[in-house]
Amino acid sequence: MSELVLINVSGRDKPGLTSEITGIMGRYDVRILDIGQAVIHDHLTWGILIEIPDESKASPVIRDLLFRFHALDLQVRFAPITIEEYHSWAEGRNRACYIVTLLSRDIKAEQIAKVSAITARHGLNIDNISRLSARPSLNATSDGIACVEFSVRGTPQDLELLRADFLHIAGEMNVDIAFQEDSIFRRNRRLVVFDMDSTLIEAEVIDELAQEAGVGAQVAEITERAMQGELDFSQSFAERLSLLKGLDEAVLERVASRLKMTEGAERLIRSLKALGYRTAILSGGFTYFAQHLQNKLGIDYVYANELEILDGKVTGEVSGQIVDGKRKAELLLEIAEKEHISREQVIAVGDGANDLPMLSQAGLGVAFRAKPLVKESARHAISTLGLDAILYLIGFRESETNQGLKNAQLSPKS
């Protein structure tokens, strides 16, 4: 009868170790049932579960391995595994798998302690922990980017309560925590659609135009109530727009030139393009400013409101259908169909109540620095980092995106 043995190895990493050890096993026709390795600061932790055929006997294999590990100055532990233990473990691997992503300016032990406590309380076991962001400098500043990803397995009884627990401690510790199923679509998204105002750019353009028109306070108050979901978007949009009547057309260029992109926006778009993603702006703002960003970043699709101008003056009206929340959701589906992809492969990003319909349609909907109502209603939220943190939600390591950017050698209009 064959024997099952779990081997755990630790010590300083060195090239050729795996080849050398499995070469010894190969002489005895050993079967590999599971294998895993992690290296932290040049220190190796290596685990392998093997099946030794009856004719080989365990003792000679273990003896040869033990001698070699000793010669390599590696610590090793051998543990026999019963058939029953193996089958119980293997069956457990069929349970649902989820990804928990911890995003912070700097990863602290308390954050990991609280995240792991919640997963344990909800019956989830951590299979793997990986750092996706670059290793920090010892002189790191408060504007750093840090991400740790947990692969967990199990069947939580109440997913909504689990998400609520994560949301609570995220607010308590000023971090972001995303919880998503580890499905085939996670690293196979193909389209990312963005709101523009307060998402890709830090400002609300209509408020900027209102400042130029001398009605800033009136418009800003209406904008805030609309963003909070207190007012119907189309009605509030028409009311704000009417206050801009008579504004000189030359103001648009002046406002566009001073718009500041959100932290991480440029890096995110460049990375997405390097990785082959399609991108779109679906905005309740104005086409003039969306196209300004399109030219700067190389966005593929732009849908926004066409500001009507007559004799060099803003009329206080828009041409065509207003791009409100319902229209954004429709456009998301239309672009996905045109690109021949499923909506599960779409990421949507926005901050206001009128973005919730498109966030709910996307496979990954992200409320970015959103109002409380939006943050609580969306399945995922980023509040502490920049837009490029989205790359971590889809599982990319910083080294992968940096290499993609280097290989693509992208220019703003590529």
Side-chain angles (χ1 to χ4, degrees):
M1 188 174 180
S2 62
E3 296 181 64
L4 307 184
V5 180
L6 176 62
I7 305 173
N8 292 112
V9 181
S10 64
R12 184 163 292 279
D13 190 26
K14 49 182 70 70
L17 174 63
T18 300
S19 174
E20 187 168 355
I21 299 305
T22 52
I24 295 173
M25 296 176 182
R27 297 202 296 266
Y28 293 93
D29 197 28
V30 166
R31 181 183 178 196
I32 305 298
L33 300 177
D34 198 17
I35 187 169
Q37 174 181 306
V39 177
I40 299 178
H41 196 61
D42 291 332
H43 191 88
L44 167 76
T45 301
W46 193 70
I48 185 166
L49 180 60
I50 63 173
E51 181 184 27
I52 304 172
D54 181 52
E55 59 270 19
S56 294
K57 304 293 183 184
S59 296
V61 184
I62 301 301
R63 179 199 62 211
D64 288 357
L65 289 172
L66 190 58
F67 285 156
R68 195 59 196 143
F69 284 130
H70 178 73
L72 293 169
D73 195 26
L74 296 170
Q75 289 74 52
V76 62
R77 184 171 67 87
F78 298 94
I81 303 296
T82 67
I83 300 297
E84 293 74 21
E85 287 173 332
Y86 175 76
H87 285 311
S88 176
W89 171 82
E91 288 171 7
R93 309 307 292 173
N94 294 324
R95 291 180 295 173
C97 189
Y98 300 91
I99 297 295
V100 181
T101 310
L102 170 63
L103 300 163
S104 178
R105 291 295 178 183
D106 193 22
I107 300 296
K108 301 292 182 67
E110 180 191 18
Q111 299 164 2
I112 293 180
K114 291 192 174 184
V115 168
S116 56
I118 288 177
T119 59
R121 188 163 68 244
H122 286 270
L124 298 171
N125 186 64
I126 298 174
D127 284 347
N128 187 61
I129 303 176
S130 300
R131 185 182 179 103
L132 301 187
S133 55
R135 272 56 181 178
S137 164
L138 293 180
N139 299 317
T141 60
S142 59
D143 61 351
I145 298 176
C147 174
V148 170
E149 179 184 277
F150 304 77
S151 177
V152 301
R153 196 178 297 272
T155 308
Q157 292 187 350
D158 191 332
L159 281 173
E160 291 308 311
L161 179 59
L162 172 62
R163 293 180 192 278
D165 285 349
F166 278 139
L167 185 63
H168 174 72
I169 67 164
E172 187 180 85
M173 297 188 297
N174 194 30
V175 301
D176 293 315
I177 303 170
F179 178 81
Q180 54 185 314
E181 186 177 356
D182 191 12
S183 70
I184 189 174
F185 296 109
R186 181 166 173 262
R187 280 182 63 121
N188 193 31
R189 316 287 186 189
R190 304 310 316 150
L191 167 68
V192 187
V193 302
F194 298 92
D195 174 44
M196 179 175 67
D197 297 38
S198 297
T199 300
L200 277 177
I201 58 175
E202 293 187 351
E204 291 287 329
V205 168
I206 198 166
D207 291 351
E208 296 295 312
L209 294 175
Q211 290 288 349
E212 296 285 346
V215 291
Q218 295 167 259
V219 169
E221 190 272 335
I222 300 171
T223 299
E224 179 64 20
R225 292 179 65 195
M227 295 292 289
Q228 295 283 4
E230 297 175 11
L231 297 176
D232 172 75
F233 176 81
S234 296
Q235 181 181 358
S236 66
F237 180 68
E239 186 178 344
R240 286 175 288 168
L241 192 55
S242 68
L243 294 171
L244 302 181
K245 185 177 180 179
L247 186 66
D248 194 281
E249 180 182 13
V251 169
L252 273 63
E253 183 177 355
R254 187 159 68 242
V255 169
S257 68
R258 70 173 184 245
L259 292 177
K260 183 179 179 181
M261 280 190 291
T262 303
E263 176 192 359
E266 192 164 2
R267 179 174 182 268
L268 173 62
I269 301 296
R270 300 278 184 264
S271 298
L272 292 173
K273 287 172 65 63
L275 295 166
Y277 284 66
R278 304 289 277 176
T279 55
I281 292 175
L282 307 183
S283 174
F286 303 113
T287 304
Y288 180 93
F289 302 96
Q291 290 176 340
H292 173 78
L293 284 179
Q294 181 181 34
N295 293 334
K296 188 171 186 177
L297 298 173
I299 303 288
D300 296 300
Y301 296 93
V302 163
Y303 292 92
N305 298 302
E306 189 66 46
L307 193 60
E308 188 177 80
I309 296 174
L310 187 62
D311 297 329
K313 301 289 183 181
V314 172
T315 67
E317 303 283 344
V318 293
S319 304
Q321 183 178 359
I322 290 178
V323 179
D324 57 8
K326 179 174 179 290
R327 183 60 182 149
K328 286 186 179 186
E330 292 170 349
L331 288 166
L332 180 152
L333 296 176
E334 288 176 15
I335 297 172
E337 183 177 3
K338 182 176 180 179
E339 293 289 338
H340 306 291
I341 62 175
S342 68
R343 68 183 184 88
E344 286 82 4
Q345 293 176 282
V346 181
I347 301 171
V349 190
D351 72 304
N354 67 318
D355 294 312
L356 284 172
M358 77 171 182
L359 298 187
S360 67
Q361 287 293 333
L364 178 64
V366 180
F368 179 73
R369 298 182 181 176
K371 307 301 182 185
L373 170 68
V374 182
K375 189 174 180 179
E376 291 169 10
S377 301
R379 298 187 71 82
H380 306 284
I382 294 175
S383 300
T384 60
L385 300 183
L387 273 175
D388 50 348
I390 289 171
L391 294 166
Y392 297 132
L393 296 189
I394 51 181
F396 287 105
R397 298 177 182 274
E398 186 155 345
S399 57
E400 293 175 314
T401 53
N402 287 344
Q403 187 60 46
L405 285 171
K406 181 179 179 181
N407 291 342
Q409 296 181 332
L410 292 173
S411 65
K413 294 186 179 181
S414 62

